[in-house]
C-alpha cells in the first residue's frame, strides 16, 4: 500500500514542482494530462458550498481547508495533491482509483516514521486514539516547525501536548497503574515543579529541558529499554546535550571513570549518573536546601562507611538535623569532580585541603586541615594517631575503672566486715543520731 502510494506521489512530483503556492499560477490547480485544472479551493475554501456535505457541522467545518492554511505552514512548498493524490482529479472523490484520505506523513519523513514505529507509543498501544500519531502531535494542515510559537511542538506547548494523555487520569490509570511506575504517574505536575519547568514558565527559557528533550519526540521508550534516552546508560548524554560543562567534568571524575569501567561501590551499586543524584522528575535548583541536604544520604547509599564516619563528625551531626550550613559531602569533594584523595586533582588531596576548608573557615591553615573528616579510630593503618588516642583513652578508662572498682569493692568488703564485728555499738550510735535530728 505505502509503496504504491509512494510511487504515485513520486510520479506526481514533477507535475507539482513548478506550481508552488504564492506564485502566479495558483498552486492547487493541478493540471493532469488530458484534464482541466482541478481547483481544490473552488470547493474547499467555500463554507457555503461545504454546508451539509457531511452529517455534522463539525464534519463540514473540517472540510474547509483554504490554501492559506498550507501557505502559512511548513508545507508551503507542497500542493494539496502532494498529500491527496487520490482526490486530486476526480469529483466525487470516491470515484478515484484509491480511497485513502491522504498519504502517510512518513512517505516523505522516513526517519521520523521509523523512529516512531520503534517507540512504545506505536508498539504498546492497541486502542486507537490512546497513543499519539503524527497527526495528534503535529496536526494535519497547520503543520509548523518546533521553533514556531503556534506549533504544539514548540517548547512552551510540549508539556501540554504530552499532558493531553500523561495527565489524563484515564490513560494513566490504564497504562501506568502498577505501583512501581512512580515516574509515570504525575510527570506533568512534577515537571512544572522542577527547575526546568520553572525556567520555562517563569524564566521564559525555551532552551530549558522539556519532555521531549529527555524522552525524544519520536523514539519514546521506557527507561528500562537500552535504546531509551532516559536509560541510565544514556542519561549523561541526554543531560549533556545542554549541560556540556558538567558532563566534561563528570566524565573524567572517579564516578565517570568507574561508570565507564563498570566498577561498583562497596554496596554493589554502579557509579552514579546525573539522575541518581538529581532525580528525573524532581530536579530542583542545586541550592535548594531539602535536596542538597538529602544528597548526603544518596552518597551514603554507596559509600556506607564514609557516611558513618562523617555522621560522627560535627559537620555530619549538624547536617543530620537538616541544616545546610555545615560541610556536606559535596562541599569537600565538589559536586562533580570527585577523585581519590591521593589524586592531585582531588579537592581533598593534602595539597588542596586547606583551600577546601577555607571556603567556609576563613582562617583555616595546615593545622586546621589535619582534622579528621572521616576519622575512624578502629582503622589503625589509616588513622594511627586516632587509633593510638583511642587505645590510650580506653586503657586509661579501664585503668581508672579498674582501680576504683577494686577500691570500691575492697571498701564495701570492709564495711560488711566492720558491721559484723561491731553490730551492737553501731546500732546504738544510729539511735543517738535520730534523737539529735528531732
Ligand atoms: C467540486 C468540489 C470539490 C473539489 C474541486 C474538490 N473537492 Fe474535495 N471534497 C468535496 C466534498 C463535497 C467533500 C466531502 C464529501 C466527500 O467525501 O466526497 C470532499 C472531500 C475531500 C476529502 C476527504 C475525503 C474523505 O475520504 O473523507 C479530501 C481529502 C479532499 N476532498 C481533498 C480534495 C483535494 C486535495 C482537492 C483538490 C485536488 C479537492 N478535494 C477538490 C468537494 C470538492
Ligand atoms: C502535508 C500533507 C497535506 C497537505 C499538503 C494537505 N493535506 Fe489535507 N489532509 C492531510 C491529512 C494527513 C489529512 C487527514 C487524513 C486522515 O484523517 O486520515 C487531511 C485531511 C483533509 C481533508 C479531510 C478533512 C476531514 O477531516 O474530513 C480535506 C478536505 C483536505 N485534507 C483537504 C486539503 C486541501 C484542500 C489541501 C490543499 C489546500 C490539503 N488538504 C493539503 C494532509 C495534507
Ligand atoms: C508524541 C508527539 C509526536 C509524534 C507522535 C510525532 N512527532 Fe514529530 N515531532 C514532535 C516534536 C516534539 C518535534 C520537535 C523536535 C525538536 O524540536 O527537536 C517533532 C519534530 C518533527 C519533525 C521535524 C524534524 C525533527 O525530527 O525534528 C518532523 C519532520 C516530524 N516531527 C515528523 C513526524 C512524523 C512523520 C510523525 C509520525 C510518524 C511524527 N512526527 C510523530 C512530536 C511528535
Ligand atoms: C509530500 C511530502 C510530504 C508529506 C506527505 C509530508 N511532509 Fe512534512 N515536510 C515536507 C517538506 C518538503 C518539508 C519542508 C522541509 C524543509 O524545509 O526542510 C516538510 C516539513 C515538515 C515539518 C517541519 C520540519 C522542520 O524542520 O521544522 C514537519 C513538522 C512536518 N513536515 C511534519 C509532517 C507531518 C506531520 C506530515 C503528515 C501530516 C507531513 N509532514 C507530511 C514534505 C512532506
Ligand atoms: C495520545 C496520547 C499520548 C500523547 C499525546 C503522548 N503519550 Fe506518551 N504514552 C501514551 C500511552 C497510552 C503510553 C503507554 C504505552 C505503553 O503501555 O507502553 C505512553 C507511554 C509513554 C512513555 C513510557 C513508555 C513505556 O513504555 O512505559 C513515555 C516516556 C511517554 N509516553 C512520553 C511521552 C512524551 C514525552 C510525550 C510528548 C512528546 C507523550 N508521551 C505524548 C499516550 C500518549
Ligand atoms: C530532565 C529530564 C526529563 C524531563 C524534562 C521529563 N522527563 Fe520523564 N523521565 C525522565 C527519566 C530519567 C525517567 C526515568 C525515571 C526512572 O525510571 O527512574 C522518566 C520517566 C518518565 C515516564 C515513565 C516511563 C518510564 O521510563 O518509566 C513518563 C511517562 C514520563 N517520564 C513522561 C514525561 C513527561 C510527559 C514529561 C513532560 C511533562 C517528562 N517526562 C519530562 C526524565 C525526564
Ligand atoms: C554524585 C552525585 C551527583 C552526580 C552523579 C551529578 N551531580 Fe550534579 N550536583 C550534585 C550536587 C551535590 C550539586 C550541588 C552542589 C552545590 O551547590 O553545592 C550538583 C550541582 C549540579 C548543577 C548546578 C551547578 C552547581 O554546581 O551548583 C547542575 C546543573 C548539575 N549538578 C547537573 C548535573 C549533570 C548534568 C550531571 C550528569 C552529568 C550531574 N549533575 C551529576 C551531585 C551530583
Ligand atoms: C534542553 C536542555 C537541557 C537538558 C536536556 C537538561 N537541562 Fe538541566 N537545565 C537547563 C537549563 C537551561 C537550566 C537553567 C535553568 C535556570 O537557571 O533557571 C537547567 C538547570 C538545571 C539544574 C539547576 C542548576 C542550578 O543552577 O541550580 C540542574 C540540577 C539540572 N538542570 C540538571 C539536569 C539533569 C540532571 C538533566 C538530565 C536528566 C538535565 N538537567 C537536562 C537545560 C537542560
Ligand atoms: C550509586 C553509587 C554512588 C553514589 C550515589 C556516589 N558514589 Fe562516589 N563512588 C561510587 C563508585 C562506584 C566509585 C568508584 C570506586 C572505585 O573506583 O572503585 C566512587 C568514587 C568516589 C570517590 C573517589 C574515591 C575513590 O577512592 O575512588 C569519591 C571522593 C566519591 N565517590 C564521593 C562521592 C560523593 C561525595 C557522593 C555524593 C555527592 C558520591 N560519591 C555518590 C559510587 C557512588
Ligand atoms: C569536611 C570535609 C569532608 C566532608 C564533609 C566529607 N569528606 Fe570525604 N574526605 C575528606 C577528606 C579530607 C578525605 C581524605 C582523608 C580521609 O580519607 O580521611 C576524604 C575521603 C573520602 C573518600 C575516599 C576514601 C578513600 O580512602 O579512598 C570518599 C569516598 C569520601 N571521602 C566520601 C565522602 C562522603 C560520601 C561524604 C558524605 C557522607 C564525605 N566524604 C564527606 C573530607 C570530607
Ligand atoms: C560548606 C562549608 C564548610 C566547609 C567546606 C568546611 N566546614 Fe567545617 N564547619 C562549617 C560550619 C558552618 C561549622 C560550624 C560553625 C562553627 O562552629 O564554626 C563547621 C565546624 C567545623 C568544626 C567544629 C567546630 C569548630 O569550629 O571547632 C571543625 C573541626 C571543622 N568544621 C573542620 C573543617 C575542616 C577540617 C574542613 C576542611 C576539610 C571543613 N571544616 C570544611 C562549615 C564548613
Amino acid at each position: 500500500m505505502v509503496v504504491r502510494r509512494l510511487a504515485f506521489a513520486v510520479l506526481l512530483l514533477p507535475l507539482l514542482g513548478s506550481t508552488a503556492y504564492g506564485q502566479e499560477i495558483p498552486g492547487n490547480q493541478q493540471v493532469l494530462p488530458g484534464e482541466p485544472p482541478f481547483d481544490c479551493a473552488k470547493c474547499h475554501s467555500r463554507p457555503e458550498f461545504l454546508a451539509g456535505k457531511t452529517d455534522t457541522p463539525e464534519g463540514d467545518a473540517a472540510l474547509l481547508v483554504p490554501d492559506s492554511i498550507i501557505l502559512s505552514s511548513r508545507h508551503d512548498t507542497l500542493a494539496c495533491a502532494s498529500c491527496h493524490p487520490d482526490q486530486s482529479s476526480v469529483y466525487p472523490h470516491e470515484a478515484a482509483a484509491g480511497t485513502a484520505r491522504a498519504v502517510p506523513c512518513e512517505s516523505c519523513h522516513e526517519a521520523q516514521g521509523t523512529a516512531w514505529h520503534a517507540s512504545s507509543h506505536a508498539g504498546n498501544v492497541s486502542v486507537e486514539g490512546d497513543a499519539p500519531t503524527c497527526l495528534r502531535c503535529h496536526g494535519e494542515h497547520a503543520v509548523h516547525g518546533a521553533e514556531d510559537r503556534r506549533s504544539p511542538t514548540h517548547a512552551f506547548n510540549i508539556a501540554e501536548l504530552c499532558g493531553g494523555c500523561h495527565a489524563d487520569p484515564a490513560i494513566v490509570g490504564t497504562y501506568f497503574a502498577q505501583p512501581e511506575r512512580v515516574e509515570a504517574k504525575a510527570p506533568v505536575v512534577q515537571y512544572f515543579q522542577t527547575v526546568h519547568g520553572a525556567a520555562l514558565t517563569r524564566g521564559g527559557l525555551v532552551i530549558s529541558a522539556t519532555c521531549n528533550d529527555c524522552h525524544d519526540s519520536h523514539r519514546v521508550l521506557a527507561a528500562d529499554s537500552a535504546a531509551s534516552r532516559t536509560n541510565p546508560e544514556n542519561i549523561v548524554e541526554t543531560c549533556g546535550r545542554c549541560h556540556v560543562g558538567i558532563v566534561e567534568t563528570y566524565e573524567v571524575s572517579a564516578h565517570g571513570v568507574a561508570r565507564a569501567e563498570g566498577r561498583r561501590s562497596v554496596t554493589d551499586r554502579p557509579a552514579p549518573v546525573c539522575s541518581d543524584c538529581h532525580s528525573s522528575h524532581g530536579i530542583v535548583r542545586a541550592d535548594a536546601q531539602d535536596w542538597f541536604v538529602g544528597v548526603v544520604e544518596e552518597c551514603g547509599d554507596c559509600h556506607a562507611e564514609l557516611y558513618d564516619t562523617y555522621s560522627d563528625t560535627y559537620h555530619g551531626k549538624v547536617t543530620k538535623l537538616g541544616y545546610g550550613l555545615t560541610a556536606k559531602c559535596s562541599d569537600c569533594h565538589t559536586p562533580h569532580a570527585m577523585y581519590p584523595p591521593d589524586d592531585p586533582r582531588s579537592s581533598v588531596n593534602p595539597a588542596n585541603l586547606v583551600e577546601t576548608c577555607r571556603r567556609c573557615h576563613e582562617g583555616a591553615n595546615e593545622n586546621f586541615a589535619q582534622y579528621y573528616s572521616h576519622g575512624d579510630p578502629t582503622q589503625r593503618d589509616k588513622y594511627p594517631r586516632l587509633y593510638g588516642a583511642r587505645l590510650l583513652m580506653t586503657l586509661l578508662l579501664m585503668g581508672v575503672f579498674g582501680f576504683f572498682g577494686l577500691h570500691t569493692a575492697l571498701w564495701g568488703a570492709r564495711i560488711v566486715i566492720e558491721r559484723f564485728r561491731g553490730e551492737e555499738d553501731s546500732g546504738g550510735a544510729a539511735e543517738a543520731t535520730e534523737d539529735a535530728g528531732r
Side-chain angles (χ1 to χ4, degrees):
M1 277 293 271
V2 175
V3 175
R4 192 178 59 78
R5 275 206 206 95
L6 236 173
F8 193 47
V10 170
L11 264 175
L12 278 170
L13 281 175
L15 298 171
L16 310 176
S18 59
T19 57
Y21 286 90
Q23 293 175 1
E24 275 201 342
I25 313 160
N28 286 320
Q29 297 189 6
Q30 302 311 329
V31 189
L32 296 175
E35 301 234 5
F38 197 69
D39 185 359
C40 317
K42 199 169 69 187
C43 301
H44 285 288
S45 60
R46 287 173 50 213
E48 66 283 2
F49 169 76
L50 297 168
K53 291 290 189 292
T54 70
D55 300 341
T56 60
E58 295 77 40
D60 295 347
L63 290 173
L64 185 68
V65 187
D67 293 0
S68 55
I69 294 191
I70 307 293
L71 281 171
S72 65
S73 79
R74 280 293 267 120
H75 288 138
D76 57 354
T77 56
L78 300 185
C80 307
S82 321
C83 298
H84 296 291
D86 292 352
Q87 286 80 14
S88 65
S89 60
V90 186
Y91 184 81
H93 302 310
E94 295 89 289
T99 46
R101 305 183 81 200
V103 297
C105 310
E106 64 198 81
S107 61
C108 297
H109 300 291
E110 201 187 336
Q112 290 79 9
T114 310
W116 183 80
H117 282 289
S119 74
S120 303
H121 281 150
N124 294 1
V125 181
S126 46
V127 181
E128 210 187 320
D130 275 5
T133 56
C134 316
L135 299 183
R136 168 80 186 228
C137 291
H138 291 285
E140 32 184 69
H141 296 122
V143 174
H144 301 292
E147 70 292 338
D148 192 311
R149 187 67 181 84
R150 293 168 296 176
S151 174
T153 59
H154 184 272
F156 286 161
N157 305 330
I158 290 281
E160 200 184 321
L161 172 66
C162 311
C165 297
H166 289 280
D168 176 352
I171 295 269
V172 174
T174 306
Y175 294 91
F176 305 113
Q178 307 93 309
E180 69 273 15
R181 303 221 61 183
V182 232
E183 301 288 343
K185 291 218 192 310
V188 186
V189 183
Q190 286 172 339
Y191 171 71
F192 287 114
Q193 291 159 358
T194 65
V195 61
H196 295 128
L200 195 89
T201 54
R202 281 189 249 140
L205 269 180
V206 292
I207 51 160
S208 183
T210 179
C211 320
N212 67 321
D213 290 309
C214 294
H215 288 286
D216 199 280
S217 306
H218 303 117
R219 202 165 181 191
V220 175
L221 290 163
D224 55 16
S225 160
S228 172
R229 269 198 204 179
T230 52
N231 183 280
E233 295 306 327
N234 306 329
I235 198 82
V236 170
E237 194 188 333
T238 301
C239 310
R241 288 168 65 226
C242 300
H243 295 283
V244 178
I246 293 195
V247 172
E248 263 179 17
T249 307
Y250 168 86
E251 277 182 336
V252 293
S253 75
H255 287 151
V257 171
R259 184 86 195 181
E261 291 174 359
R263 263 179 290 129
R264 302 174 81 88
S265 72
V266 285
T267 54
D268 197 32
R269 285 186 49 189
V273 291
C274 318
S275 46
D276 287 317
C277 296
H278 288 284
S279 87
S280 43
H281 291 167
I283 301 177
V284 290
R285 214 159 255 300
D287 56 10
Q289 174 148 328
D290 278 357
W291 175 76
F292 71 60
V293 170
V295 167
V296 170
E297 307 289 326
E298 210 60 58
C299 312
D301 272 355
C302 298
H303 299 285
E305 271 176 37
L306 290 140
Y307 174 80
D308 290 343
T309 52
Y310 164 77
S311 301
D312 288 340
T313 66
Y314 182 94
H315 292 137
K317 288 190 160 63
V318 176
T319 300
K320 275 211 159 168
L321 294 174
Y323 299 106
L325 213 59
T326 70
K328 298 156 301 297
C329 318
S330 51
D331 288 316
C332 291
H333 291 283
T334 80
H336 306 115
M338 279 97 173
Y339 296 101
D342 56 10
D343 189 311
R345 294 169 295 181
S346 168
S347 56
V348 298
N349 181 278
N352 308 325
L353 198 55
V354 177
E355 205 48 51
T356 300
C357 307
R358 270 197 195 141
R359 287 182 51 208
C360 303
H361 300 282
E362 266 181 39
N365 54 22
E366 288 281 342
N367 225 0
F368 182 80
Q370 296 290 312
Y371 168 79
Y372 293 126
S373 301
H374 293 286
D376 180 356
T378 62
Q379 291 187 33
R380 188 179 182 169
D381 298 343
K382 209 166 163 197
Y383 306 101
R385 274 155 64 190
L386 211 55
Y387 179 84
R390 193 176 97 127
L391 196 69
L392 194 74
M393 286 309 286
T394 314
L395 287 175
L396 199 66
L397 212 65
M398 278 164 64
V400 168
F401 273 108
F403 177 77
F404 284 103
L406 193 69
H407 183 264
T408 312
L410 291 174
W411 193 267
R414 197 183 136 187
I415 290 176
V416 175
I417 293 167
E418 277 191 358
R419 276 217 166 198
F420 276 118
R421 269 201 200 143
E423 214 168 13
E424 281 148 33
D425 290 3
S426 47
E431 271 167 34
T433 332
E434 245 174 71
D435 289 346
R438 283 190 204 118

